[in-house]
Structures are given as structure tokens and as C-alpha cells.
Amino acid sequence: MVDAIIILVVVVLLIFALKGSIKHFRGEGACCGGGSGSVKTKKAKKKTLDGPVVGRRMIRISGMHCQNCVNSVTNALNAIDGVSAEVSLKDNCAEVSCDRKVDDIDLKQAVERAGFEVLGISQV
């Protein structure tokens, strides 16, 4: 009887752990921001460019798991003068619009400083 109770408790704990992991990888639960699901990082603001768009790039990114990760990448890219970024957790990429010449290396370094890996950068 004691064995059955212990097995039942372990199964219940595994179910809760599995549900939490699924939410984590869908970007719905607490992740890199910690806490009880609230995002602790500075919320990403939509940035508008000063001039007309002269170039667009698609950056493929590895390592994002939640909205906090998206906010970190968005803020890092938007900190570059002449760059406005929209980051997609679902597609693991960032679409970057530029109103001046911006080197790919600057975009890559910004993403890496935020703690993520750039898999590739292509023209759009």
C-alpha cells in the first residue's frame, strides 16, 4: 500500500513537471525572467526609424525560449542607431529594418551580447 502511494505521488509530480516544461518551451511560462511567470526584463518598445528604410535583414537566432528572450533580443537590436527590429519567438528570427548602412557584424554582436547565438543573417 505504501508503495502505491509513493508511485502515485511521483506520477503526479512528473505530470506537473511535464506541464511546466511544455509551457516553458512554448514561451508561456516563467523562463529566463524567473519568478511566477511575470517578465522581469525591460519590455521591448516598438522603435520607429528616422528616415526611409534602405535595407532589411533576417537574422536566424538560437536560444530563445520565452517572451523575455524576445524582449532581450529586441532591445539589443533596437539599441543600434538606424535599426528597428521585430523578433519572432515562433520562427526564432528577427526581421531588422535599417534607415542607414549597418554592418552584419554589428547586428550579430548585439544579439550575442544579449546571450543568444546567430545562426545566419540574410537580405530580405
Side-chain angles (χ1 to χ4, degrees):
M1 184 66 169
V2 172
D3 291 337
I5 293 173
I6 291 173
I7 291 172
L8 181 63
V9 169
V10 169
V11 168
V12 169
L13 290 174
L14 286 174
I15 289 171
F16 281 111
L18 181 63
K19 284 176 64 177
S21 295
I22 290 170
K23 286 178 82 175
H24 168 83
F25 286 108
R26 285 185 180 165
E28 298 169 353
C31 181
C32 306
S36 61
S38 62
V39 176
K40 302 247 186 222
T41 206
K42 189 175 177 183
K43 186 167 173 114
K45 292 182 186 177
K46 184 132 173 108
K47 181 178 174 184
T48 55
L49 299 173
D50 295 332
V53 174
V54 297
R56 292 187 194 278
R57 301 217 190 60
M58 185 67 65
I59 306 172
R60 291 185 306 121
I61 302 167
S62 174
M64 295 189 302
H65 300 290
C66 66
Q67 188 61 41
N68 188 53
C69 299
V70 169
N71 291 345
S72 295
V73 172
T74 303
N75 289 333
L77 289 168
N78 284 346
I80 301 171
D81 286 338
V83 171
S84 175
E86 290 188 28
V87 180
S88 169
L89 178 61
K90 179 182 173 192
D91 299 325
N92 288 315
C93 67
E95 185 173 340
V96 176
S97 300
C98 307
D99 68 359
R100 63 193 77 165
K101 184 179 182 310
V102 177
D103 291 329
D104 288 351
I105 193 72
D106 294 331
L107 299 172
K108 182 179 180 192
Q109 287 175 346
V111 172
E112 289 174 348
R113 275 193 303 266
F116 303 93
E117 181 182 358
V118 173
L119 301 175
I121 301 176
S122 58
Q123 300 287 332
V124 178

